[in-house]
Amino acid sequence: MGYYITVEHGVDIYVNDVGPSDGKPIVFIHGWPQNNKIFEYQYNQLPKWGYRCIGIDLRGFGKSDKPWSGYSYDRLADDIRVILENIRVNNIILAGHSMGGAIVIRYMARHMGYKVRKLALLAAAAPIFTKRPGFPVGLTNMTKEDVNKLIVQTYTDRPEMIKEFGEKFFYQPVSDSFANWVQSLALEASGNATARTAVSLRDEELWRDLSMIRVPTGIFHGIHDVICPFPLAEAMNNEIRHAELIPFMNSGHGLFYCEMDKFNYEFARFSN
């Protein structure tokens, strides 16, 4: 079932709630520039194993409202806090993919892990997404100029930008139909939200946030990821207490589809 929760005046966030109401709750936060439907192949399987899957469309994406402002990691983390305050669940597994991984890390630091039992980082865009002085060499392929080009493309030819970005998403071949479906999810976002969250991806840093995570954390990452390279996973593993690094040897950024069966199994194992 789906429903809306008001996170501030005039902003309603869509929540997709799949599986048994008394199941172990997992809250999914999608990446840039998609929405919660990207987790369809987890929603198909995990409820069979007793999990309740709660997918959130971030503001500006999917079926959520698309306000002009509010696209910093702080505000997006605050939206999650309001949603969790209004859903009658506790002891959740909080899972974030790509930019969603960065946002859930900020949530853990900013809101002291409210209601979270375990944290799952799926190809997370953290602790940084773009190169900058003063940080270890070789962590990321992206420069601020690269992201600026994505922002310009968003304002001039968003469908082509999404198509080109999507071509980097999977390591394993996917059908044209599946690639078109993934692209269609990104087109459900507003152009403004797509550009403004790209600014957050470009500029935010999460090194200090990592040290504030106090729950068991699974770091799920494809070794062939060219969007968020595997050294980012190793950096997070070094900085987060009680972390477990789970590499996917035949996956890129979309590891939950590239190695679907392995991902679902390992994710359920970690979430138990």
Side-chain angles (χ1 to χ4, degrees), residues 210-221:
L210 296 179
S211 65
M212 300 176 70
I213 296 171
R214 296 287 188 270
V215 300
T217 301
I219 301 170
F220 301 74
H221 218 103

Side-chain angles (χ1 to χ4, degrees), residues 5 14 18 23-24 28 31 41-42 48 103-104 122 145 164 172 175 189 193 246 256 259 268:
I5 292 176
Y14 179 74
V18 181
K24 296 177 183 177
F28 288 94
Y41 296 89
Q42 284 63 61
K48 298 176 185 176
I103 293 165
V104 300
L122 320 177
E145 290 73 23
E164 292 175 359
Q172 301 290 347
S175 68
I246 305 162
F256 44 78
E259 294 183 78

Side-chain angles (χ1 to χ4, degrees), residues 180-253:
N180 291 338
W181 174 73
V182 173
Q183 183 176 356
S184 74
L185 299 185
L187 287 170
E188 292 181 27
S190 76
N192 173 62
T194 301
R196 292 202 174 199
T197 48
V199 171
S200 296
L201 272 168
R202 182 192 68 193
D203 295 344
E204 293 268 13
E205 297 177 9
L206 294 151
W207 292 97
R208 292 182 180 178
D209 302 71
L210 296 179
S211 65
M212 300 176 70
I213 296 171
R214 296 287 188 270
V215 300
T217 301
I219 301 170
F220 301 74
H221 218 103
I223 67 167
H224 300 286
D225 194 331
V226 296
I227 296 173
C228 295
F230 194 73
L232 290 176
E234 295 173 319
M236 288 185 285
N237 190 51
N238 289 335
E239 297 293 329
I240 300 173
R241 302 178 190 178
H242 312 299
E244 177 187 0
L245 178 56
I246 305 162
F248 288 76
M249 309 305 289
N250 296 298
S251 289
H253 198 55

